[in-house]
Amino acid sequence: MQSKPSARSSPFPLRNVRLTDAPLCSAAAGEAKYLLRLDADRLLANFRACAGLDTRGKRCYGGWERGLIGGHTMGHYLTALSQAECDASLPLPMRRALRERLDTVLAALRECQLHSRGRPGFLFGAPCRDESNVELQFDMVEQGRSQIETEAWVPWYTMHKILAGLIAAWELTGSETAARTALDLGIWAAGRAARWSAQTRRTVQSIEYGGMSDALYELYGRTGDERFRRGAEQFNEWPLLRSLRSGVPDALNGLHANTTIPKFLGALNGWRTTGNTELLECAIAFFDTVTTRHSYITGGNSEWEHFGPDNMLDAKRTNTNCETCNAYNMLKLAAGLYGATGEARFLDDFSRTFVNSILASRDPDTGMTTYFQPMASGYFKVYSSPEASFWCCTGTGMESFTKLGGGIYYRRGEEITVALYLSSELCAPSGVLRQHADLPAGRAELTCSGEIPSLRLRIPDWAADFTVYKNGVPAAYTREDGFARLSEPLREGEKLLLLLPQRLTAEALPDCPGAIAFRWGPYVLSADLGREDLRTALTGVDVTVPAAVPDGFTEEIALPYPVERLKSAPERCFAREGEEFRLIGTALRFAPHYRRGGERYGIYFRYHYN
């Protein structure tokens, strides 16, 4: 153990960043409208019923909200409302409406908590199967009983979402109601965990519990209350954490991915709040294992929600790859590890996943988001419905598209780092930094009102070159570990021009060298395969997926030149037409994947020399 560390860098608060990128502004506004369109009383119905209060004639929404996981959406909803209320790109009347909705929901949740029929502080929103014991699901989990229809459906996962949403509302808006509710709920959770025997703890840890350690460490960091630290440690799964730190081969094989990632978010927050460096080492080792042995070119991972053996990716490409919640959680881990270490590689991965998994997850027509993102070619994206699915990825989608300004700018003392090249404005203590980015043209411009004493610019891993001009002449800067640090402050009216020429790169999968995908600068490319026969099917618990590829479709592509040329010099194999790329010698036409909507697509094909 050591003294509590301070993060090397932290992202600027959402309130300090205003998006000016038109597509992102449109997505943020669309998400905010959806949040306001949802009926708060329907989201609250099960919470009120659990507390024995009047449900005001409302029934909960459908889909997952009617199962024993009901109430998880509320946690995401609280976080999303809090984030959207901070978004300066939204009209002020909309932000006021979001805050009013948030305050209304928080007051209702506090009322439910004060009338709890469980132990003091208990608050829950799943359908109540036994009114004499509203904590029944938690009892079931402690007994190892987890039949999701009749016994328990991951109640600690749901509890984490609720607690995390309350903490987000407290942090982002300063709500005293959110703070009191979060603290009382945290005391309940820590108190319940304190009663576990070693065997009960192992039993609980065997059933998905989300980021409970992360949330309880957060409360510990805010209060110094040792109950929260001890509660968090009850959820630390040390055999798993240490297996990653030790580099055990195939340590993730067979594990549910979105069950596992939050455990390492908890480890990172454990280091941040207690100073235990072993927890930080575990988080870094896990991140490196996932990104180098289990991830596709988009930054997504998993097949049917599970990790496979190390480096087995081509063999696992299906219609159920890359659960979107995984990308959401890996972004949180990447941002946190950059803050802890200052290493640019974490920002490179953040950029890759943000653009090609998160931005790619949203339906450009409806604003709904994906559950899976298939890596087998010939399939298409399927999106949630506004009021009838409420999958886990519906909730994380609410969060992802209400914090689009997060992660663009970081601070360390007076130093500002530009981490992402997205059109936006940063209100810093000493001045306003305005960014206009045109990455397809390979350039970004930065101007200043006031003064930025110290400025660092990320040198992206995807850029073919990196050049900075200040007021039309080459700028003085030093390169250091993936960043360019300006030698002088950026002052009132001064202008930086960054040239970021994009290059075309190829990436093959480790278990099939002929299975290749492409990136153009930050953008993964996918081929348009049409809209023929877009049939869907159900998998898991009411999750909609694409049913089949068209008859006669094949991923096998014959080339009139060696495959090695495609891998080593892809620019010689494509004819560029604007932002589209035609693969010479084939009928395939590629474009940035994040813009793709309902059509069938192909990211990977298996190429061979004919």
Side-chain angles (χ1 to χ4, degrees), residues 194-431:
R195 298 192 296 272
W196 294 339
S197 66
Q199 179 57 52
T200 300
R201 183 174 65 251
R202 287 191 292 271
T203 300
V204 172
Q205 288 179 349
S206 70
I207 298 168
E208 186 173 7
Y209 52 84
M212 279 304 304
S213 61
D214 186 21
L216 289 170
Y217 275 129
E218 187 66 27
L219 291 178
Y220 172 62
R222 288 174 173 274
T223 65
D225 188 328
E226 288 291 323
R227 289 176 294 181
F228 296 132
R229 179 188 60 78
R230 291 192 295 269
E233 290 173 350
Q234 288 287 77
F235 290 96
N236 281 343
E237 202 168 323
W238 280 110
L240 172 65
L241 300 180
R242 287 173 172 149
S243 70
L244 271 296
R245 180 172 176 262
S246 301
V248 174
D250 293 328
L252 298 177
N253 186 24
L255 296 183
H256 187 274
N258 199 48
T259 299
T260 305
I261 302 169
K263 298 175 184 180
F264 291 87
L265 286 168
L268 177 60
N269 213 0
W271 163 77
R272 191 181 293 120
T273 55
T274 71
N276 185 341
T277 55
E278 184 180 9
L279 289 169
L280 175 62
E281 292 165 0
C282 292
I284 292 172
F286 171 77
F287 181 89
D288 289 343
T289 299
V290 173
T291 55
T292 62
R293 303 180 196 173
H294 295 272
S295 295
Y296 293 95
I297 192 171
T298 60
N301 61 66
S302 76
E303 195 276 326
W304 218 96
E305 306 185 9
H306 286 71
F307 292 120
D310 291 348
N311 298 314
M312 184 175 288
L313 290 163
D314 182 65
K316 295 289 185 177
R317 288 193 297 116
T318 68
N319 59 337
T320 57
N321 292 119
C322 300
E323 183 184 0
T324 308
C325 283
N326 297 357
Y328 156 89
N329 275 317
M330 288 299 292
L331 281 186
K332 293 174 72 174
L333 188 56
L337 289 174
Y338 169 68
T341 67
E343 295 180 25
R345 65 192 180 97
F346 296 113
L347 294 182
D348 287 332
D349 194 84
F350 185 101
S351 173
R352 176 193 292 255
T353 306
F354 174 73
V355 171
N356 300 297
S357 285
I358 297 300
L359 295 188
S361 71
R362 183 177 185 271
D363 185 341
D365 296 324
T366 69
M368 294 294 99
T369 48
T370 57
Y371 194 111
F372 294 117
Q373 296 188 40
M375 289 295 106
S377 292
Y379 290 106
F380 53 95
K381 301 174 189 176
V382 177
Y383 305 97
S384 60
S385 59
E387 297 187 359
S389 52
F390 291 102
W391 305 323
C392 51
C393 297
T394 308
T396 55
M398 291 178 187
E399 293 191 37
S400 292
F401 288 92
T402 52
K403 60 176 179 180
L404 294 170
I408 302 176
Y409 305 98
Y410 284 76
R411 60 184 175 182
R412 182 176 60 178
E414 288 191 334
E415 179 184 83
I416 294 173
T417 296
V418 180
L420 299 179
Y421 296 104
L422 291 171
S423 296
S424 53
E425 291 182 358
L426 169 66
C427 292
S430 59

Side-chain angles (χ1 to χ4, degrees), residues 160-183:
H160 164 247
K161 299 305 178 187
I162 298 166
L163 185 53
L166 292 166
I167 293 171
W170 176 12
E171 175 187 5
L172 295 170
T173 73
S175 167
E176 285 296 323
T177 303
R180 291 195 303 270
T181 310
L183 290 170

Side-chain angles (χ1 to χ4, degrees), residues 367-552:
M368 294 294 99
T369 48
T370 57
Y371 194 111
F372 294 117
Q373 296 188 40
M375 289 295 106
S377 292
Y379 290 106
F380 53 95
K381 301 174 189 176
V382 177
Y383 305 97
S384 60
S385 59
E387 297 187 359
S389 52
F390 291 102
W391 305 323
C392 51
C393 297
T394 308
T396 55
M398 291 178 187
E399 293 191 37
S400 292
F401 288 92
T402 52
K403 60 176 179 180
L404 294 170
I408 302 176
Y409 305 98
Y410 284 76
R411 60 184 175 182
R412 182 176 60 178
E414 288 191 334
E415 179 184 83
I416 294 173
T417 296
V418 180
L420 299 179
Y421 296 104
L422 291 171
S423 296
S424 53
E425 291 182 358
L426 169 66
C427 292
S430 59
V432 177
L433 184 65
R434 296 181 178 86
Q435 177 182 174
H436 176 71
D438 185 356
L439 295 188
R443 57 190 289 138
E445 296 177 357
L446 297 169
T447 57
C448 177
S449 298
E451 180 175 305
I452 307 298
S454 179
L455 184 63
R456 287 199 319 165
L457 309 168
R458 171 175 154 257
I459 302 174
D461 63 340
W462 47 258
D465 197 2
F466 185 84
T467 308
V468 184
Y469 292 89
K470 185 176 182 180
N471 301 326
V473 299
Y477 64 90
T478 56
R479 288 185 177 234
E480 50 182 46
D481 301 324
F483 298 95
R485 183 192 300 276
L486 292 189
S487 302
E488 297 178 347
L490 189 64
R491 297 187 173 90
E492 177 80 32
E494 292 188 323
K495 179 178 179 180
L496 296 179
L497 171 63
L498 282 59
L499 298 183
L500 305 152
Q502 303 194 120
R503 58 194 172 112
L504 195 61
T505 56
E507 297 183 21
L509 292 175
D511 53 334
C512 182
I516 302 170
F518 306 97
R519 272 209 300 170
W520 175 52
Y523 307 119
V524 168
L525 300 178
S526 64
D528 185 345
L529 301 178
R531 292 178 174 265
E532 177 187 350
D533 189 18
L534 301 180
R535 286 176 292 154
T536 61
L538 292 178
T539 188
V541 184
D542 202 27
V543 175
T544 312
V545 296
V549 298
D551 291 342

Side-chain angles (χ1 to χ4, degrees), residues 503-508 513-519 559 561-574 583 607:
R503 58 194 172 112
L504 195 61
T505 56
E507 297 183 21
I516 302 170
F518 306 97
R519 272 209 300 170
L559 297 173
Y561 42 82
V563 175
E564 188 55 40
R565 181 190 305 174
L566 185 64
K567 295 165 68 173
S568 62
E571 69 281 356
R572 294 171 53 194
C573 304
F574 283 89
L583 182 57
Y607 298 96

Side-chain angles (χ1 to χ4, degrees), residues 8-26:
R8 293 186 57 170
S9 298
S10 58
F12 270 90
L14 288 171
R15 291 187 189 278
N16 291 62
V17 181
R18 185 172 75 88
L19 292 169
T20 56
D21 178 276
L24 293 190
C25 287
S26 177

Side-chain angles (χ1 to χ4, degrees), residues 83-161:
Q83 292 174 167
E85 190 268 336
C86 296
D87 187 349
S89 71
L90 298 177
L92 188 56
M94 177 178 282
R95 294 176 66 188
R96 288 172 176 161
L98 290 160
R99 180 56 189 264
E100 181 179 355
R101 174 67 62 84
L102 175 65
D103 288 343
T104 298
V105 172
L106 287 171
L109 291 173
R110 182 61 173 170
E111 181 185 20
C112 292
Q113 187 179 53
L114 293 175
H115 288 82
S116 174
R117 294 188 291 178
R119 293 180 178 88
F122 181 71
L123 177 68
F124 207 53
C128 184
R129 298 294 174 87
D130 183 352
E131 297 202 359
S132 68
N133 181 8
V134 293
E135 296 186 29
L136 179 62
Q137 281 204 62
F138 297 87
D139 295 341
M140 291 287 188
V141 164
E142 290 174 4
Q143 299 165 25
R145 297 169 61 182
S146 57
Q147 208 291 325
I148 66 173
E149 293 179 356
T150 60
E151 295 176 338
W153 187 353
V154 295
W156 282 111
Y157 168 93
T158 301
M159 185 58 75
H160 164 247
K161 299 305 178 187

